């Protein structure tokens, strides 16, 4: 075990919670002081994963103290909060907005759990304010606006891929809205995330990518990774711990998994420079806190700069580097972290994970299998499974079977909304009790529809992407969870609100599916129109013939010579032949 | 020749006496030419017709002894039930129930079950099938197999009785025409004899019950069998002359799948004919009966639709069932013409062509009714055939219904032009459907065009079959009025052409 930090001096921030407030106040005096009601925090967590990959997670939190819940109050003053998003929120009366763009699939069994999960492709879910009358209209406009803001194909979200989940997506912020008529959820599993999505995302940060942690976000490095996910979460939160008034919270997260193990010839080491080809020189001047957490749970020892946090049912130890302190950067005024380790670290097996696949062969029908694994040794717990499937898979919900340990496991709650052709997708939500240490298999049969030739995507024989299933659960925790929301916690452990000590909220996304549909021959619409019309014409012609004509004796016409002779005779006035 | 004439007259009179002594009721006997006065018989008889005439008179005994036919019909029923039961129990049943040729989105058991499930569990009305059928599921869902076998049996028996009744009518008419000396004298070989007609009802029942198409449809539990039963009951009640029942069953059939609306015309024509009301717009009796029949039809249709409304509490089923039939949103391949055409259609022409194709189904009703107003039963056959060819979601079960009528027209056989070719085409296509489907969907070595080509050919075959029967029917009627052996002006043997 070897820990080496290239920074000559690193600040001790063992008890960060107490010292935080005072230090950030000092900082503000140094720069142009923001009004005390808006604040910005930035944070990065680096965690070496069990597989040897490195997981880097950025979180940027902007709190905007404005009393938005009062109707008719127009907000026109923006400081740290991006104006483009603020206007969107007020124009469309959004209560909560969560959007994520992900390239790659998070491998739960190799990597453990991410801090904030996201499905491959784009995901958008929005709670609207309960005063909104035309939710669908607002949703449509909102997706188009967001499409412009993030340079993504969110404008392809329409009624055919939007659902209103009844239980799976509860608001994460203040207020306990339960009327799911104001919720819209949509995924675009085919969405490809690249630089053009990252640039507008970076522009939303108060410092842009000029200072602070965002300096590290060089797109050629970020997209040269096994997994990339960027997200924006906006929700109302309490302004202070008494919760007398509310504020907007904007969280921008970016999660990357670098494959440094196989590309680095099997060496287990990482450094900031190696991952991002940059080093850090300063915190964002507008940030009230700016920290780097390095997960050293599996590499205990030398490092005295320790904080612990309970996150996702696991107590982890972190070294903390506070970028707002000058000592962190040392004399070179540059911070590069480097960690080498040898030992096999043991991963806490995630208590819940899921996978999904399509079985069957041929293009007529198929069966979707979703396997839910509960690896908890002795606790059974219920999970909510949400499936939103496009209409062109004709789902036969009466064939739904749920089996665990070879016995039928009847879901205690099933919410099914049937699809409508070209209008609405299937929505299937169910509450399944997972027995301890078991695999629960959910199967449902479907039929593949033949579409109109214009409805196929380009390269139709590649298949159609079907969005991930969403599994949401309160998973029993082995260690006691921190329920004290008033305490200042690192950002990565405070996203999902925890209500009780014994369990924590967990969301798992399965793989998206790639389903082939039968295709018509795209090259011959004219031929088909001609041939089918010919057959109809054959029918029409033969009936028309028989209907309009009568049977007559066929009298052979006179030979040509005789007819000519008769014409001449007629002219001459002579009797005809 | 005078001597022979008198001997024939004697012969006839002898037969007369014989029948009188047997005291058979003329309406069951059907063929009571013998009761006409001697003068008429003598007028009928000429040298050419003596022998067939005698034969006609001698066939009087075997006319429609209904009791004798019950045993074979029962046998056919038992046989067909056995075949179906065996298939239901075999592993083929599941395979058959997923064949696109056998089930369409509108009549698939699986979809019906799905609608029923969704209605039960989530209380959401979702329709591929009419509400009444879904409510029927409530009762039959546990013993569907027996119900579908019984339904097929009902259809066959209804067709059997209907055809029996029809044959009697045909025979009676032929007799009156013979009496009135309306037929040319060389047409005796076109006359239908009771001997050949004797087995026709049984053949019809057999054609329906043992037709592989019906068997497949039944084993797949396609609700097409129910529609066929309703249609058969409509035909039976019409031929029996019950206007009310006829209107009710027609309304039911229309409610099930719009298209049987076109059977209103033949139904009305038959009932008018039966009541000896001439089809004449100037007559008040004609209008009175037409209005009466329409009111019965529309009334029962309204009752059924309202019943569905009260069962569900919403009108959702009207757009989702009838809109589904008319606008063809589901392009699942089937044996019809719609699916590939509308899969490949340019978007801005779609509406136009949907209108054209749907009007095409209803279009033939009026001209056919004008042409065949004296022959409503043949008109029914033509209409059913046209519906099953041109409807938006046809299945083999629809074809089986009109094919059951083919034995009724067995006397047209001599005028059919290309029956051999057509039957070869139909058989070959039937065999090729599963082959090309497999190549396209499972093997991936063919594409959709292969299957599409077979549907085209199959439909051309059906069109040729139906138009051939139509041609033969018209031609026979022409011969019955003009004589069988037509001559040209110069006396040579003439050929008939359509002009």
């Amino acid at each position: 075990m070897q820990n080496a930090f290239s920074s000559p001096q690193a600040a001790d921030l063992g008890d960060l919670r107490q010292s935080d407030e005072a230090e950030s106040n000092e900082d503000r005096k140094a720069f142009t002081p923001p009004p005390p009601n808006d604040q910005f925090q930035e944070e990065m967590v680096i965690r070496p994963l069990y597989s040897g990959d490195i997981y880097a997670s950025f979180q940027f939190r902007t709190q905007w103290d404005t009393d938005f819940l009062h109707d008719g109050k127009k907000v026109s003053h923006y400081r740290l909060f991006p104006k483009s998003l603020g206007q969107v929120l007020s124009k469309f009366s959004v209560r909560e907005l969560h959007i994520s763009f992900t390239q790659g699939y998070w491998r739960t069994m190799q990597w453990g759990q991410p801090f904030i999960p996201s499905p491959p492709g784009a995901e958008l879910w929005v709670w609207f304010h309960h005063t909104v009358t035309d939710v669908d209209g607002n949703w449509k406009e909102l997706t188009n606006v967001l499409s412009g803001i993030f340079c993504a194909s969110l404008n392809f979200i329409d009624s055919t891929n939007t659902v209103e989940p009844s239980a799976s997506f509860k608001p994460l912020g203040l207020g306990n809205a339960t009327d799911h008529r104001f919720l819209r959820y949509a995924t675009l599993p085919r969405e490809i995330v690249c630089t053009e999505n990252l640039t507008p995302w970076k522009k939303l940060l108060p410092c842009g990518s000029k200072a602070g942690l965002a300096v590290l976000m060089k797109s050629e490095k970020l997209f040269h990774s096994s997994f990339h996910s960027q997200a924006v979460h906006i929700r109302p939160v309490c302004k202070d711990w008494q919760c007398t008034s509310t504020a907007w919270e904007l969280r921008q997260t970016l999660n990357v998994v670098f494959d440094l193990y196989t590309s680095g010839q099997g060496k287990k080491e990482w450094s900031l420079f190696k991952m991002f080809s940059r080093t850090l020189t300063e915190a964002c001047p507008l940030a009230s806190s700016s920290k780097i957490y390095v997960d050293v749970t599996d590499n205990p020892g030398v490092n005295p700069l320790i904080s612990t946090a309970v996150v996702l049912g696991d107590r982890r130890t972190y070294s903390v580097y506070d970028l707002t302190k000058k000592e962190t950067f040392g004399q070179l005024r540059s911070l590069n972290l480097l960690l080498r380790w040898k030992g096999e670290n043991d991963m806490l097996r995630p208590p819940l994970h899921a996978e999904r696949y399509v079985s069957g062969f041929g293009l007529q029908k198929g069966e979707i299998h979703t396997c839910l694994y509960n690896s908890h040794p002795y606790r059974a717990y219920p999970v909510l499974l949400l499936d939103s499937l496009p209409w062109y898979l004709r789902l036969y919900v009466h064939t739904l079977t749920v089996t665990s340990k070879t016995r039928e496991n009847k879901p205690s709650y099933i919410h099914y909304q049937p699809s409508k052709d070209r209008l609405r997708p299937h929505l299937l939500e169910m509450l399944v009790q997972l027995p301890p240490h078991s695999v629960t298999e959910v199967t449902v049969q479907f039929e593949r529809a033949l579409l109109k030739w214009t409805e196929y995507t380009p390269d139709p024989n590649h298949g159609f992407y079907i969005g991930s299933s969403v599994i949401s659960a309160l998973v029993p925790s082995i260690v006691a969870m921190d329920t004290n929301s008033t305490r200042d916690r690192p950002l990565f452990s405070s996203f999902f609100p925890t209500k009780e000590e014994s369990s924590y909220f967990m969301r798992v996304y399965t793989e998206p599916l790639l389903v082939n549909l039968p295709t018509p021959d795209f090259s011959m619409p004219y031929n088909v129109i001609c041939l089918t019309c010919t057959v109809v014409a054959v029918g029409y012609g033969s009936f028309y013939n028989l209907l309009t004509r009568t049977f007559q004796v066929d009298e052979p016409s006179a030979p040509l010579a005789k007819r000519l002779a008769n014409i001449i005779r007629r002219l001459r006035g002579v009797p005809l032949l | 020749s005078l001597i022979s004439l008198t001997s024939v007259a004697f012969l006839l009179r002898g037969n007369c006496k014989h029948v009188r002594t047997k005291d058979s009721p003329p309406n069951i006997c059907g063929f009571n030419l013998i009761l006409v006065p001697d003068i008429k018989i003598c007028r009928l008889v000429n040298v050419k017709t003596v022998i067939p005439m005698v034969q006609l008179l001698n066939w009087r005994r075997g006319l429609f002894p209904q009791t004798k036919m019950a045993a074979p019909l029962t046998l056919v029923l038992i046989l067909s039930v056995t075949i179906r039961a065996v298939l239901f129990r075999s592993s083929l049943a599941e395979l058959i129930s997923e064949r696109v040729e056998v089930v369409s989105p509108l009549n698939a058991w699986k979809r019906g079950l799905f609608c029923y499930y969704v209605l039960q569990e989530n209380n959401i009305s979702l329709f591929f099938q009419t509400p009444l059928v879904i409510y029927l599921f409530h009762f039959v869902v546990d013993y569907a197999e027996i119900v579908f076998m019984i339904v097929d049996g009902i259809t066959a028996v209804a067709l059997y009785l209907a055809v029996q009744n029809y044959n009697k009518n045909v025979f009676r008419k032929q007799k009156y025409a013979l009496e009135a000396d309306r037929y040319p004298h060389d047409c005796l070989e076109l006359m239908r004899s009771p001997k050949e007609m004797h087995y026709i009802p049984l053949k019809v029942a057999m054609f329906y019950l043992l037709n592989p198409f019906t068997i497949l449809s039944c084993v797949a539990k396609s609700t097409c069998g129910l529609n066929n039963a309703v249609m058969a009951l409509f035909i039976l009640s019409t031929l029996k002359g019950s206007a009310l029942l006829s209107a009710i069953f027609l309304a039911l059939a229309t409610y099930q799948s719009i298209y049987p609306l076109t059977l209103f015309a033949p139904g009305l024509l038959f009932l008018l004919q039966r009541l000896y009301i001439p089809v004449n717009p100037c007559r008040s009796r004609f209008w009175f009966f037409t209005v009466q029949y329409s009111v019965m039809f529309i009334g029962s249709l309204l009752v059924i639709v309202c019943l569905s409304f009260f069962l569900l509490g919403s009108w959702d089923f009207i757009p989702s069932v009838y809109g589904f039939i008319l606008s063809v949103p589901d392009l699942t391949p089937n044996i019809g013409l719609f699916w590939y055409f509308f899969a490949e259609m340019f978007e801005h022409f779609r509406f136009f062509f949907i209108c054209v194709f749907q009007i095409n189904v209803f279009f033939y009703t009026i001209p056919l009714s004008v042409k065949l107003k004296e022959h409503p039963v043949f008109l029914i056959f033509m209409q059913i055939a046209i519906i099953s060819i041109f409807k938006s979601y046809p299945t083999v079960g629809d074809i089986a219904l009109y094919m059951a009528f083919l034995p009724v027209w067995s006397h047209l056989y001599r005028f059919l032009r290309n029956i051999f070719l057509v039957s070869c085409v139909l058989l070959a296509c039937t065999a090729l459907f599963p082959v090309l489907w497999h190549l396209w969907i499972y093997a991936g070595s063919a594409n959709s065009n292969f299957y599409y080509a077979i549907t085209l050919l199959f439909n051309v075959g059906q069109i040729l079959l139906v138009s051939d029967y139509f041609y033969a029917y018209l031609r026979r009627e022409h011969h019955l009025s003009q004589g069988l052996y037509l001559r040209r002006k110069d006396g040579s043997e003439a050929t008939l052409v359509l002009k």
Side-chain angles (χ1 to χ4, degrees):
Chain A
M1 188 77 56
Q2 181 188 3
N3 283 348
F5 294 94
S6 70
S7 157
Q9 191 188 5
D12 182 354
L13 274 169
D15 196 1
L16 68 149
R17 287 185 207 96
Q18 288 161 12
S19 56
D20 231 14
E21 195 64 23
E23 278 153 14
S24 58
N25 281 341
E26 275 173 28
D27 272 354
R28 281 188 206 136
K29 278 170 200 159
F31 303 103
T32 44
N37 48 0
D38 278 17
Q39 54 167 311
F40 173 67
Q41 293 165 278
E42 54 181 11
E43 178 185 294
M44 175 163 82
V45 187
I46 299 175
R47 177 199 274 185
L49 295 172
Y50 172 66
S51 59
D53 301 305
I54 308 299
Y55 173 32
S57 170
F58 295 85
Q59 285 210 24
F60 303 90
R61 180 176 184 269
T62 311
Q63 191 174 320
W64 182 27
D65 295 356
T66 177
D67 212 0
F68 55 91
L69 288 177
H70 289 291
D71 303 342
K73 191 183 174 192
K74 210 163 162 117
V75 184
S76 54
H77 188 62
Y78 295 88
R79 278 187 49 77
L80 298 176
F81 199 89
K83 191 175 178 183
S84 56
L85 286 181
Q87 284 177 332
V88 167
L89 296 184
S90 59
K91 174 148 199 310
F92 300 111
S93 313
V94 173
R95 226 191 133 75
E96 222 173 88
L97 183 146
H98 302 267
I99 184 167
S100 74
F101 300 96
T102 308
Q103 187 74 32
Y105 174 66
W106 182 270
R107 291 161 206 291
T108 314
M109 286 315 279
Q110 291 171 32
W111 297 344
Q113 297 163 48
F115 296 119
I116 296 181
S118 58
E123 184 198 43
L124 175 64
W125 58 284
V126 174
W127 277 93
F128 288 95
H129 203 260
H130 61 84
T131 50
V132 177
T133 46
D134 179 18
V135 179
D136 286 312
N138 271 19
W139 168 249
K140 190 162 176 50
E141 279 186 53
L142 175 68
T143 53
N144 279 288
V145 168
L146 290 176
S147 170
I149 291 178
F150 291 102
C151 284
S153 343
L154 296 174
N155 52 326
F156 283 98
I157 292 176
D158 53 14
S159 67
T160 60
N161 49 18
T162 302
V163 290
E164 301 168 26
S166 66
S168 292
F169 287 90
K170 289 289 164 209
L172 293 175
L174 282 180
N176 39 6
T178 46
D179 192 350
H180 62 262
R181 280 181 301 144
F182 298 104
L183 169 65
R184 292 291 180 279
Y185 173 82
T187 53
L188 294 172
R190 209 190 164 153
E191 181 74 8
I192 290 163
V193 185
C194 203
T195 323
E196 78 264 21
N197 306 111
L198 183 66
T199 313
W201 184 87
K202 280 196 288 196
K203 279 186 182 162
L204 299 176
L205 295 170
C207 295
S209 52
K210 301 283 189 298
L213 292 171
V215 169
L216 299 176
M217 292 175 189
K218 261 183 96 175
S219 47
E220 67 261 39
K221 278 294 183 183
L222 287 186
F223 290 103
H224 187 69
S225 57
S226 311
F227 176 84
H228 170 97
S229 168
Q230 62 187 64
V232 170
H233 301 275
I234 301 172
R235 59 177 175 175
V237 290
C238 290
K239 197 182 273 183
D240 42 34
W241 61 273
Q242 287 121 333
C243 212
T244 48
S245 58
T246 50
W248 283 111
E249 183 201 68
L250 163 69
R251 269 186 204 240
Q252 287 180 259
T253 66
L254 190 138
N255 295 295
V256 203
V257 175
F258 292 102
D259 181 13
L260 293 179
Y261 183 62
T262 46
S263 66
Q265 288 90 40
K267 272 190 262 172
K268 288 193 171 176
E269 67 164 33
W270 61 264
S271 72
L272 284 186
F273 190 78
K274 219 171 155 184
M275 288 193 285
F276 302 105
S277 48
R278 293 277 171 95
T279 54
L280 287 168
T281 52
E282 57 171 342
C284 172
L286 302 171
S288 60
S289 103
S290 174
K291 292 192 182 106
I292 298 181
Y293 292 80
V294 178
D295 191 325
V296 291
T297 318
D298 305 315
N299 308 294
V302 279
N303 191 0
L305 329 161
I306 292 297
S307 131
T308 56
V310 176
V311 53
L312 298 166
D314 195 7
R315 188 177 294 279
R316 311 291 296 181
T317 318
Y318 297 92
S319 330
V320 187
Y321 302 89
D322 191 342
L323 302 186
T324 52
K325 288 191 170 174
K326 285 207 176 93
E327 308 92 85
T328 314
F329 298 99
Q331 284 154 351
L332 294 173
R333 305 207 56 77
S334 146
L335 174 68
N336 183 21
L337 300 176
L338 180 120
L339 181 70
R340 284 203 191 94
W341 78 101
K342 278 204 190 100
E344 287 291 317
N345 41 11
D346 213 15
M347 187 183 70
L348 178 77
R349 189 158 276 256
L352 170 69
H353 87 276
E355 54 191 35
R356 191 160 69 138
Y357 57 92
V358 172
S359 70
F361 63 99
L363 298 176
Q364 189 178 5
K365 52 185 179 144
E367 197 169 38
I368 295 177
H369 292 248
T370 311
C371 298
L372 308 170
Y373 295 83
N374 175 6
S375 1
H376 200 284
Y378 53 86
R379 285 283 297 274
Y381 53 86
V383 297
L384 265 171
L385 174 67
L386 168 87
D387 251 322
S388 158
L389 298 161
W391 62 268
Y392 41 78
L393 301 189
R394 304 192 189 285
L395 211 61
Y396 291 114
V397 176
H398 66 279
T399 61
L400 179 81
T401 58
V402 183
T403 46
S404 31
K405 294 183 169 170
T406 69
R407 264 185 307 172
E408 200 196 336
N409 178 1
K410 202 169 161 37
S412 49
Y413 164 78
I414 296 183
H415 172 72
Y416 174 65
Q417 189 169 30
S419 71
K420 274 188 186 155
D421 281 7
R422 298 178 179 87
L423 273 183
R424 199 169 70 184
H426 301 271
L427 170 67
L428 182 60
E429 264 187 303
M430 59 186 118
L431 189 67
V432 188
Q433 181 81 12
L434 303 185
H437 200 70
S438 69
V439 186
T440 303
E441 194 171 21
V442 181
T443 62
V444 63
Q445 292 175 13
F446 67 90
E447 229 170 60
R448 298 157 205 251
L450 182 78
L451 309 182
K452 296 173 188 168
W453 70 311
T454 47
E455 286 170 338
Y456 287 90
T457 51
D459 189 13
N461 290 308
H462 178 70
F464 285 74
Y465 284 94
I466 313 296
S468 312
S469 313
V470 188
I471 294 133
S472 321
L474 276 176
V475 177
S477 172
I478 297 163
V479 294
M481 294 299 291
D482 194 356
T483 53
N484 187 359
S485 61
T486 57
R487 253 176 54 189
D488 212 353
R489 285 188 289 167
L491 294 179
F492 60 84
S493 67
S494 63
F495 184 63
F496 291 117
T498 36
K499 297 236 165 60
E500 48 188 319
E501 284 191 350
S502 59
S503 63
Y504 62 97
F505 180 79
M506 187 173 172
R507 184 166 283 155
V508 176
Y509 291 94
T510 63
E511 302 92 332
L513 296 175
L514 184 59
V515 177
N516 269 307
L517 298 185
T519 51
D521 186 345
F522 295 97
S523 62
M524 50 179 281
Y526 289 101
N527 304 11
V528 170
I529 292 169
C530 291
L531 289 170
T532 309
C533 286
T534 308
V535 172
V536 173
V538 165
Y540 177 81
S542 48
F543 291 130
Y544 179 80
N545 228 351
L546 292 162
L547 285 167
T548 54
R549 298 186 184 193
T550 51
F551 285 102
Q552 279 171 21
V553 173
D554 185 24
E555 293 288 347
S557 57
L560 186 66
K562 194 174 173 183
R563 271 188 284 167
L564 282 175
N566 274 342
I567 291 169
I568 296 165
R569 276 168 171 264
R570 196 175 289 135
L571 291 174
R572 284 168 58 201
V574 186
L576 301 181
L577 276 176
Chain B
S1 67
L2 191 70
I3 298 161
S4 67
L5 261 180
T6 46
S7 67
V8 166
F10 263 114
L11 192 72
L12 291 175
R13 293 183 70 184
N15 273 319
C16 256
K17 275 176 194 164
H18 184 65
V19 168
R20 273 192 197 126
T21 49
K22 279 203 90 176
D23 199 24
S24 59
N27 57 338
I28 284 181
C29 178
F31 187 69
N32 41 11
L33 178 73
I34 40 247
L35 299 175
V36 299
D38 292 4
I39 309 150
K40 226 170 194 178
I41 298 167
C42 293
R43 216 158 52 95
L44 265 173
V45 176
N46 65 16
V47 183
K48 249 194 161 178
T49 55
V50 168
I51 310 303
M53 204 48 128
V54 173
Q55 281 174 355
L56 276 180
L57 294 172
N58 283 336
W59 283 322
R60 78 203 177 276
R61 278 182 200 142
L63 285 180
F64 310 111
Q66 290 168 7
T67 46
K68 271 190 196 170
M69 296 291 285
L73 181 65
T74 318
L75 266 179
V76 169
L77 279 171
I78 289 170
L79 180 63
S80 64
V81 165
T82 317
I83 294 172
R84 283 162 171 77
V86 167
L87 280 173
F88 269 129
R89 291 277 156 259
S90 74
S91 57
L92 285 173
E94 201 188 341
L95 177 77
I96 292 169
S97 67
E98 278 163 357
R99 299 296 316 171
V100 285
E101 298 88 2
V102 183
V103 293
S104 73
L106 270 175
N107 59 25
W109 174 255
K110 203 172 176 182
R111 287 215 187 187
L113 212 57
F114 169 58
C115 300
Y116 172 68
Y117 168 85
V118 170
L119 193 67
Q120 288 274 318
E121 297 285 321
N122 301 24
N123 208 14
I124 297 170
S125 323
L126 171 85
F127 298 101
F128 300 108
Q129 316 221 346
T130 48
L132 284 190
V133 170
I134 290 171
Y135 267 86
L136 192 70
F137 271 63
H138 187 71
F139 303 105
V140 307
V141 79
D142 293 328
Y143 27 92
E145 301 174 359
I146 298 169
V147 169
F148 276 93
M149 288 194 277
I150 292 173
V151 164
D152 266 13
I154 290 173
T155 314
V157 171
L159 287 178
Y160 176 89
L161 295 174
V163 169
Q164 204 170 44
N165 200 305
Y166 171 65
N167 276 351
K168 252 189 265 173
N169 287 344
V170 166
F171 213 77
R172 192 182 300 137
K173 259 187 212 157
Q174 182 177 298
K175 184 201 71 184
Y176 291 147
L178 272 174
E179 279 175 23
D181 198 12
R182 254 183 265 138
Y183 293 137
H185 292 172
D186 56 351
C187 282
L188 256 178
E189 55 186 290
L190 291 183
M191 292 299 110
R192 310 193 55 193
S193 67
K195 193 176 173 188
E196 61 156 331
M197 288 163 84
H198 182 69
Y199 287 107
I200 284 178
L202 185 66
K203 277 187 203 160
V204 168
M206 264 173 70
F207 253 63
Y208 188 76
L209 282 176
L210 302 179
N211 188 339
F213 288 165
T214 328
I215 295 173
L216 289 177
S217 195
C218 177
V219 173
K221 291 187 266 187
S222 155
T223 51
C224 180
L226 300 177
N227 299 0
N228 283 355
V230 174
M231 300 259 257
L233 288 171
F234 157 71
I235 294 166
L236 176 64
S237 50
T238 311
L239 294 190
K240 288 277 183 195
S242 160
L244 180 64
L245 276 179
S246 156
I248 289 172
F249 282 119
L250 182 60
L252 257 178
T254 311
Y255 167 79
Q256 281 293 92
S257 63
I258 305 182
Y259 296 116
L261 181 65
T262 59
L263 294 175
F264 181 81
L268 178 67
L269 283 174
F270 186 89
L271 291 168
L272 285 172
Q273 201 182 57
R274 207 186 139 87
L275 296 168
Y276 303 108
I277 302 170
V279 183
N280 185 349
C282 305
R283 295 282 192 84
S284 60
R285 264 190 88 197
F286 166 73
W287 283 114
F288 178 71
F289 187 78
T290 309
V291 169
Q292 194 188 348
Y293 189 62
S294 333
V295 165
M296 283 192 282
F297 169 66
I298 293 168
S300 36
L301 195 59
L302 278 180
V303 167
I304 298 166
V305 169
C306 291
L307 189 64
S308 318
F309 172 72
F310 288 124
L311 281 174
L312 297 164
S314 82
W315 294 108
D316 286 350
F317 68 95
I318 291 191
S320 49
V321 176
Y322 304 117
F324 191 80
I325 295 173
L326 291 177
S327 68
V328 205
D330 189 325
L331 302 169
T332 311
N334 55 37
I335 56 171
L337 293 168
F338 278 69
W339 65 275
Y340 206 52
F341 188 71
F342 288 107
E344 295 267 3
M345 178 50 65
F346 298 100
E347 206 51 50
H348 46 287
F349 289 128
R350 178 178 303 276
F351 182 69
F352 169 72
F353 273 105
I354 280 182
C355 292
V356 170
F357 271 51
Q358 296 290 5
I359 289 169
N360 184 44
V361 188
F362 298 95
F363 175 77
Y364 302 102
T365 311
I366 291 170
L368 278 175
S369 311
V370 171
K371 187 90 175 179
L372 293 171
K373 67 170 185 261
E374 303 295 327
H375 314 282
V377 177
F378 190 74
L379 181 56
I380 289 179
F381 163 74
M382 286 294 294
Q383 286 293 353
I384 295 176
I386 286 171
I387 288 172
S388 70
I389 297 169
F390 292 121
K391 75 191 283 193
S392 45
Y393 300 102
T395 54
V396 290
D398 300 307
I399 295 168
L401 183 64
Y402 83 79
M403 283 202 167
F405 275 91
L406 294 185
V408 181
W409 322 118
S410 56
H411 59 286
L412 303 178
Y413 187 75
R414 60 185 290 166
F415 297 118
L416 293 177
R417 291 170 297 182
N418 37 22
I419 184 71
F420 175 71
L421 180 76
V422 167
S423 27
C424 287
V425 165
L426 291 182
L427 283 176
C429 287
T430 312
L432 279 173
F433 272 129
V435 173
L436 294 178
W437 179 257
H438 180 85
L439 287 184
W440 172 27
I441 296 295
Y442 292 102
S445 52
N447 68 8
S448 46
N449 294 341
F450 287 63
Y451 192 77
Y452 165 64
I454 282 303
T455 62
L456 279 189
L457 196 58
F458 189 69
N459 282 298
V460 170
Q462 285 192 77
I463 288 168
L464 289 182
L465 180 78
V466 174
S467 59
D468 218 14
Y469 270 96
F470 189 25
Y471 169 85
Y473 198 88
L474 293 178
R475 179 144 182 198
R476 181 173 178 272
E477 290 305 311
H478 181 79
H479 282 306
L480 282 181
S481 61
Q482 303 293 320
L484 185 56
Y485 300 102
L486 297 173
R487 308 239 158 233
R488 289 207 192 103
K489 281 176 199 157
D490 56 359
S492 61
E493 206 170 290
T495 49
L496 267 185
V497 288
L498 276 171
K499 269 185 184 165

